[in-house]
Amino acid sequence: MKLKKISDRIYYLPNEEENDRPVLGYIKGDKYSLAIDAGNSSKHVEKFYSELNNLDLKLPDYTVITHWHWDHTFGMHSVEGKTIAGKTTNDKLKEVATWQWSDEDMKNRLEAGEDIEMCDRCIKVEYSNRQEIKVIPADIEFNGSLKIDLGGIHCELIQVEAPHSEDSVLICVPEEKTLFVGDANCEDFYNNNGNYDKDKLESFIALMRKIHFDTYVWGHDEPQTKDEAITYLVDQLEMLK
Ligand SMILES: [Zn+2]
């Protein structure tokens, strides 16, 4: 999987299905660079960084986390620079950091509904040795929103209660008219059995209409245009009615 270019300033590493690796984003400022999501393991981070090296892009000064799910956060301990997360995400990461990873611990969490089948399966694909799993909270925590000047380009981090998880953070790059949403646009697998909550989906669509962007980068698929993204979400909403 090779790094793909959206513009001179924005790149992403595509997702991988088998082990549930999400898209990793990269924003290149004149002064600082920023990554979106830390991936699901050190190996995932290594792959991302070797792709950045191949294109002479410097390693990120910051890595922003879109939400607490394992595939976006278990690489945090091995990223360069500082990690940034919303407070809700960080609180959850502090809890997940206490989880143990034996077969029995994992089975107990499945039965208690603390974890879900897809993550359980994919974690076992990514980690042949689950002793290597290390979960840490972010270095920098924010509430609401945060604006970062990377030099010649800005990132706006916005905390939202999205359909996918209550701790979603969107990353908007106004100069490049690009919006990173992580999995925010997806169904909720932890609290709603893989379904959309109608009210949350409605307010997410309204938010998408309000934010100015052309390119929509989401967690587990190819980027879309704003129209494609909204059309898909409206179709999903129609099916709930
Ligand atoms: Zn997720």
Side-chain angles (χ1 to χ4, degrees), residues 12-25:
Y12 70 97
L13 186 70
N15 66 302
E16 292 172 57
E17 263 172 41
E18 189 203 25
N19 40 7
D20 207 24
R21 286 182 172 176
V23 164
L24 302 180

Side-chain angles (χ1 to χ4, degrees), residues 76 84 182 185 209 217 240:
M76 283 171 77
I84 305 174
N185 59 329
R209 289 195 165 118
V217 188
L240 294 178

Side-chain angles (χ1 to χ4, degrees), residues 20 66-72 118-119 164-165 182-184 186-187 189-190 220:
D20 207 24
T66 59
H67 63 301
W68 69 271
H69 294 165
W70 81 282
D71 47 323
H72 301 256
M118 185 177 72
C119 297
H164 183 67
S165 68
D183 301 349
C186 298
E187 302 90 331
F189 293 91
Y190 276 86
H220 294 271

Side-chain angles (χ1 to χ4, degrees), residues 6-64:
I6 290 178
S7 70
D8 286 342
R9 297 238 192 222
I10 303 192
Y11 298 78
Y12 70 97
L13 186 70
N15 66 302
E16 292 172 57
E17 263 172 41
E18 189 203 25
N19 40 7
D20 207 24
R21 286 182 172 176
V23 164
L24 302 180
Y26 182 85
I27 303 167
K28 183 179 151 212
D30 295 334
K31 213 167 163 190
Y32 304 112
S33 64
L34 180 144
I36 291 148
D37 279 328
N40 68 355
S41 65
S42 301
K43 283 192 201 118
H44 194 190
V45 174
E46 274 166 34
K47 187 170 185 177
F48 182 37
Y49 287 2
S50 87
E51 287 293 320
L52 293 176
N53 282 329
N54 288 343
L55 293 183
D56 270 333
L57 294 166
K58 75 170 182 134
L59 297 184
D61 298 286
Y62 302 104
T63 296
V64 177

Side-chain angles (χ1 to χ4, degrees), residues 55-214:
L55 293 183
D56 270 333
L57 294 166
K58 75 170 182 134
L59 297 184
D61 298 286
Y62 302 104
T63 296
V64 177
I65 303 302
T66 59
H67 63 301
W68 69 271
H69 294 165
W70 81 282
D71 47 323
H72 301 256
T73 57
F74 282 15
M76 283 171 77
H77 67 96
S78 55
V79 302
E80 290 284 321
K82 304 286 184 213
T83 48
I84 305 174
K87 184 182 184 311
T88 325
T89 304
N90 235 17
D91 287 347
K92 187 68 187 181
L93 287 173
K94 285 172 195 163
E95 180 196 326
V96 179
T98 67
W99 289 5
Q100 303 295 314
W101 299 96
S102 72
D103 287 345
E104 202 193 342
D105 288 308
M106 290 180 77
K107 192 166 150 262
N108 289 342
R109 279 198 297 276
L110 273 186
E111 283 170 4
E114 284 177 280
D115 212 344
I116 58 172
E117 202 278 327
M118 185 177 72
C119 297
D120 185 85
R121 176 167 35 89
C122 293
I123 286 170
K124 288 170 181 164
V125 175
E126 179 67 22
Y127 290 92
S128 50
N129 174 10
R130 296 199 300 274
Q131 303 285 349
E132 287 169 11
I133 295 176
K134 203 190 271 180
V135 183
I136 58 164
D139 302 308
I140 299 166
E141 186 178 289
F142 73 99
N143 246 326
S145 65
L146 182 68
K147 196 167 176 177
I148 304 175
D149 184 350
L150 300 175
I153 189 168
H154 295 80
C155 285
E156 291 172 14
L157 282 44
I158 314 157
Q159 240 182 347
V160 293
E161 199 190 325
H164 183 67
S165 68
E166 58 289 348
D167 69 324
S168 296
V169 169
L170 312 180
I171 296 97
C172 185
V173 190
E175 290 91 344
E176 299 286 314
K177 294 191 171 60
T178 300
L179 181 71
F180 288 83
V181 300
D183 301 349
N185 59 329
C186 298
E187 302 90 331
D188 186 341
F189 293 91
Y190 276 86
N191 305 305
N192 208 18
N193 290 321
N195 297 307
Y196 280 112
D197 174 273
K198 190 170 149 285
D199 295 342
K200 285 183 189 168
L201 183 54
E202 254 170 356
S203 48
F204 189 72
I205 293 170
L207 179 64
M208 290 301 101
R209 289 195 165 118
K210 221 170 76 185
I211 299 177
H212 292 288
F213 66 92
D214 293 334

